[in-house]
Amino acid sequence: MVVAMSSSNQNSQCWDSHDAPRVAKLLQYLDERQSALFGGGGNRIPILAFGSDSGAVMLTSQLPQALLHKRSAPKSREQEQVEETQKNASTANIPVDGILVENVGARLNPEIPVVYLTQSNEKEQREELVAALQQHTGMTRHIPLPPVILTPTFLQERLPNLVSKEQSRTLFNLIKNEELLENGQRFVHNPRSDPTVQRLVKKFVQKTLQPNDQSDNPPIVDSGDMAKAIEEVLMVVWGQDVTT
C-alpha cells in the first residue's frame, strides 16, 4: 500500500519542520492499525518512508524527533518516565522501519535505517551523505541507481494513465529527430534547462490535449500539470535529482 502526502506549505511546495508531526501521526496510525489494514496473523508489514530534496531533509533530520514525541493517548507521569528512559535507550517504539532518500539528508537520533539513493548522473555524493555513511555504519546504505535509457514507450510506461503508447512514440521521435540524445538513448543536456526539450514538450502537450485527439483518449488534464509530469520523467533519463 502506498500513502502519499503533500507538504503543508503549498506556496513553496517544500517540506519543512511543520510537516514532520503530520508525517509522524500518519506513520503511527498505520503502525497501530496493521491488523485492520493488512489482516491479522500477527505478522507486521514493514513501513518505509521515501522522500527527495526537502522531503528527504525532513525525513532524516526532523521526522525522527517528531516520532519520539508523538503520543497516541494521554499517559501518566509514570508512563512518560518509563517511555523517556526507553526513548533514550532504544528505538523499539518508532513506527517506521526505514527511510529512503535521494542523495540528501542529515542524520539525527534516533537511529533509523536509511538508504541513500543516487541517480546515474549524480557524480558527487553530498557532504551529509558522506558523513552519514561514515558515522552511522550498519544503519546506512548507499545504492547508486543504474542508468535509465529513453525508449519509444518509456513515457507511457512511466505515465500509463496520462500518455498512450502512440503518444509516447511521438514525443520520442520528436526528441530523437532534434538529435538531443546521446547514442539515441540518453540526453546530452539537462532536459529541464534545455530550451529545445521545453519547446518540444510544450508542443506535444498542446497537441495531446486537443479535443480532436483520437489516440487512446487519454484523460483531459491541465497542460501545466502534464508538462511538469513529463519533465520529471525525462529527468529520470537525465539521471539526476529531479530538482537539479
Side-chain angles (χ1 to χ4, degrees), residues 160-167 208-221 226:
N161 297 322
L162 198 63
V163 179
S164 70
K165 287 185 178 180
E166 180 182 345
Q167 292 163 346
T208 299
L209 297 182
Q210 285 179 354
N212 61 351
D213 183 17
Q214 299 298 318
S215 53
D216 292 356
N217 296 319
I220 300 299
V221 296
M226 186 174 186

Side-chain angles (χ1 to χ4, degrees), residues 2-243:
V2 177
V3 180
M5 293 184 67
S6 298
S7 60
S8 56
N9 189 334
Q10 287 300 294
N11 292 323
S12 68
Q13 296 187 342
C14 289
W15 298 83
D16 56 36
S17 58
H18 297 93
D19 294 302
R22 298 172 54 238
V23 176
K25 183 177 181 180
L26 173 63
L27 291 172
Q28 186 176 43
Y29 175 88
L30 293 174
D31 188 56
E32 292 175 348
R33 290 159 179 78
Q34 286 252 356
S35 296
L37 293 170
F38 308 116
N43 296 323
R44 184 179 179 280
I45 295 178
I47 297 177
L48 305 175
F50 174 81
S52 63
D53 196 49
S54 61
V57 176
M58 183 273 294
L59 288 179
T60 56
S61 300
Q62 297 151 359
L63 176 65
Q65 298 302 308
L67 288 170
L68 287 178
H69 291 90
K70 188 64 194 165
R71 296 292 184 268
S72 58
K75 295 178 174 61
S76 66
R77 178 174 299 179
E78 291 76 12
Q79 287 176 308
E80 290 181 349
Q81 290 175 342
V82 171
E83 289 193 356
E84 184 67 23
T85 301
Q86 293 176 340
K87 178 182 70 175
N88 295 329
S90 70
T91 60
N93 296 323
I94 298 299
V96 61
D97 299 278
I99 295 173
L100 292 86
V101 293
E102 187 182 358
N103 198 16
V104 68
R107 285 303 311 273
L108 294 176
N109 289 328
E111 291 285 324
I112 299 174
V114 177
V115 174
Y116 294 90
L117 307 175
T118 53
Q119 296 194 48
S120 59
N121 209 26
E122 291 178 309
K123 304 301 183 183
E124 298 181 0
Q125 297 178 10
R126 302 188 185 184
E127 293 181 2
E128 59 265 39
L129 188 156
V130 175
L133 293 173
Q134 293 175 345
Q135 298 172 12
H136 302 271
T137 57
M139 295 295 288
T140 56
R141 183 181 177 187
H142 173 221
I143 300 180
L145 300 178
V148 177
I149 63 174
L150 185 65
T151 65
T153 59
F154 179 79
L155 203 62
Q156 189 276 332
E157 293 165 359
R158 294 300 179 109
L159 302 171
N161 297 322
L162 198 63
V163 179
S164 70
K165 287 185 178 180
E166 180 182 345
Q167 292 163 346
S168 181
R169 293 189 184 98
T170 297
L171 182 58
F172 174 82
N173 290 330
L174 288 172
I175 293 172
K176 185 177 181 180
N177 291 340
E178 292 282 351
E179 299 182 349
L180 301 175
L181 301 176
E182 181 179 8
N183 298 323
Q185 296 178 327
R186 304 195 68 196
F187 285 104
V188 177
H189 304 292
N190 186 332
R192 175 158 286 170
S193 57
D194 189 324
T196 305
V197 175
Q198 299 298 310
R199 174 176 57 81
L200 293 178
V201 170
K202 182 178 180 180
K203 177 182 177 181
F204 170 78
V205 170
Q206 289 175 342
K207 185 177 186 303
T208 299
L209 297 182
Q210 285 179 354
N212 61 351
D213 183 17
Q214 299 298 318
S215 53
D216 292 356
N217 296 319
I220 300 299
V221 296
D222 178 77
S223 59
D225 291 341
M226 186 174 186
K228 182 178 180 181
I230 292 173
E231 181 182 272
E232 293 186 355
V233 168
L234 295 181
M235 286 296 292
V236 174
V237 181
W238 173 242
Q240 281 193 6
D241 184 342
V242 295
T243 60

